[in-house]
Every structure is written in structure tokens, then in C-alpha cells.
């Protein structure tokens, strides 16, 4: 069995999830895009999106930050050899949920995060920026560059799936979503997040987690951003 719910993201500040392909006639750093087929002729066109891998990585980092405070475990390691050492007596909760290096099906991630597609038509703006010299903390010579940002209020929707054998770790995932709403995402942006589950998760998590779930069903930054 797989437990599914929708997750919606909303930019609170200027948002950029950088792409590795600069726009020849536009910004040096552009927001991620993918090809999609449009119209009766199925014409290929670029569409803004937020990669699921970026969201999943941010959630894993958030889970690592809050795990210990709520009775969950996190090895806090990144390098495979250090993860293996930390897991000598068994994997931590964060690695159980998000996966870790190793052999066999037990090391695979128990959570899947889709790409996030735009809700409506997000608007973009290109902003010129100057890189700082780390030594002098002043503007570096010849370091002017431009960044494409999505405007505050831009929304994206995706899906999260959790395998049944990781049901006990769904509260950790919810805590990670809550933490994501107060941290940084992409290139230093603030994003809001809202769980849309149609009540499915009420029967999945213990009653003590229901207040958190109810909070996540609403925008945290409602009223701060004008759509």
C-alpha cells in the first residue's frame, strides 16, 4: 500500500530553483524548465517547474534538523562511509525514510516526491546582482550577473507518496514540511507549503500529530503574499 497526498508550494519571496542551462538572450541563472506538449498539434514548449528532487532534498535536510527535538533519529552524515559507520546498529529514521547508500531493498527511499507543476502561469523577473569578494566583502570586479526569479505568490503542485512500511515516519515527514516553511529553499528563497490530503492522513498518524497536520493544511504565510 502507498499513502499519497498532494503538496502545494507558494513563493513568499523571489524564488529561483537554478537550472544548469543559461538563457542565451536572458539571465545567467534561470529557473528550472522542462518540455511539455501543448495544443492540438502537440507542440513542444518549455514550462517552469520545481524538480521533485529539489523538494525531496530540502525535506531531507529539514527532517535532519528537527528529528532529535521530536524523538526521531538522524545520523547527520553525508559521506557514504560515515553513514555506514553511524548505522552500525541500524539506520537512523531520516535515512530509513529518505534512503541511504548501500545494497539491498532496505536502503531505498520510502518516500517519493513528484515534480511540481505550476498552478496558473507564474510570472518571472530578471534581477541584476553582484558577487561579493569573500576576502574583502566588497563587490568583486567583473562579477555582475543576472538571475531569473519567480515572483512572490507563484504556486506549484506536486504529489508525495510514502510506502506503508514507513507509516511510522510520516510524522517526521510532516515536521520536515513545517520546517521547510520557515527555512530557505532553492537560491535562498522562502516558500510556503500546504498539505492537501482530503483527510486521508487523519487515519494514518496518531491523534497527537493532528494539530500539526491541521496547521499544514493551511498556508503559514497567508496574507503576507498578495496574489
Amino acid at each position: 500500500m502507498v499513502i499519497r497526498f498532494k503538496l502545494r508550494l507558494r513563493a513568499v519571496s523571489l524564488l529561483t530553483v537554478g537550472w544548469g542551462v543559461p538563457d542565451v538572450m536572458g539571465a545567467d541563472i534561470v529557473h528550472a524548465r522542462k518540455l511539455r506538449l501543448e495544443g492540438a498539434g502537440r507542440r513542444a514548449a518549455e514550462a517552469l517547474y520545481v524538480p521533485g528532487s529539489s523538494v525531496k532534498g530540502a525535506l531531507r535536510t529539514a527532517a535532519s534538523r528537527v528529528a532529535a527535538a521530536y524523538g526521531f533519529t538522524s545520523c547527520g552524515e553525508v559521506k557514504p562511509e560515515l553513514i555506514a559507520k553511524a548505522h552500525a546498529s541500524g539506520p537512523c529514521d531520516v535515512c530509513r525514510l529518505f534512503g541511504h547508500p548501500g545494497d539491498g531493498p532496505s536502503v531505498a527511499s520510502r518516500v517519493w516526491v513528484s515534480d511540481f507543476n505550476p498552478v496558473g502561469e507564474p510570472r518571472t523577473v530578471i534581477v541584476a546582482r553582484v558577487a561579493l569578494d569573500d576576502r574583502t566583502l566588497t563587490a568583486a570586479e567583473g562579477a555582475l550577473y543576472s538571475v531569473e526569479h519567480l515572483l512572490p505568490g507563484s504556486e506549484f503542485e506536486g504529489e508525495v507518496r510514502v510506502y506503508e512500511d514507513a507509516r511510522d515516519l510520516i510524522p517526521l515527514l510532516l515536521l520536515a514540511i513545517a520546517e521547510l516553511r520557515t527555512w530557505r529553499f532553492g537560491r535562498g528563497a522562502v516558500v510556503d507549503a500546504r498539505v492537501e490530503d482530503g483527510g486521508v492522513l487523519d487515519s494514518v498518524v496518531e491523534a497527537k500529530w493532528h494539530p500539526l497536520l491541521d496547521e499544514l493544511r493551511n498556508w503559514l504565510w497567508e496574507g503576507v503574499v498578495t496574489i
Side-chain angles (χ1 to χ4, degrees):
M1 177 182 174
V2 175
I3 301 160
R4 307 166 185 247
F5 61 91
K6 297 289 186 181
L7 184 64
R8 186 172 288 209
L9 302 177
R10 176 190 286 176
V12 178
S13 65
L14 294 174
L15 170 65
T16 300
V17 180
W19 200 25
V21 183
D23 189 336
V24 175
M25 300 299 292
D28 298 309
I29 299 173
V30 297
H31 189 90
R33 287 170 167 79
K34 63 181 177 181
L35 292 178
R36 68 179 181 188
L37 299 178
E38 296 181 338
R42 309 302 286 168
R43 179 178 59 86
E46 288 186 347
L48 296 162
Y49 82 113
V50 176
S53 57
S54 297
V55 177
K56 184 177 179 180
L59 288 174
R60 181 181 189 131
T61 301
S64 294
R65 285 198 299 267
V66 302
Y70 293 92
F72 295 97
T73 58
S74 172
C75 66
E77 301 294 350
V78 176
K79 295 182 178 179
E81 62 273 16
L82 296 180
I83 292 176
K85 184 178 180 180
H87 291 176
S89 58
C92 67
D93 291 331
V94 172
C95 288
R96 277 183 57 212
L97 181 60
F98 290 96
H100 58 93
D103 298 320
S106 63
V107 306
S109 174
R110 312 315 295 162
V111 60
W112 176 86
V113 180
S114 75
D115 287 338
F116 283 66
N117 295 315
V119 177
E121 294 294 333
R123 293 178 297 161
T124 64
V125 63
I126 295 177
V127 177
R129 299 187 180 277
V130 177
L132 293 179
D133 185 309
D134 291 336
R135 182 175 56 83
T136 63
L137 297 181
T138 58
E141 184 176 353
L144 181 68
Y145 65 98
S146 58
V147 182
E148 178 187 46
H149 296 290
L150 300 183
L151 293 177
S154 301
E155 291 188 19
F156 293 81
E157 183 179 71
E159 183 178 70
V160 178
R161 303 177 188 173
V162 183
Y163 289 99
E164 174 66 29
D165 59 3
R167 172 188 287 255
D168 61 313
L169 296 177
I170 290 180
L172 176 59
L173 179 59
L174 297 178
L175 289 166
I177 295 172
E179 176 71 3
L180 179 64
R181 304 199 298 182
T182 60
W183 202 247
R184 294 289 182 267
F185 179 71
R187 297 183 66 86
V190 177
V191 295
D192 207 345
R194 186 177 74 188
V195 170
E196 299 180 345
D197 67 317
V200 169
L201 296 178
D202 285 329
S203 61
V204 174
V205 299
E206 296 179 21
K208 67 180 181 179
W209 298 110
H210 286 182
L212 170 62
L213 182 54
D214 289 340
E215 287 292 329
L216 291 175
R217 287 171 175 154
N218 297 283
W219 296 115
L220 175 64
W221 299 99
E222 189 70 71
V224 175
V225 177
T226 301
I227 307 300

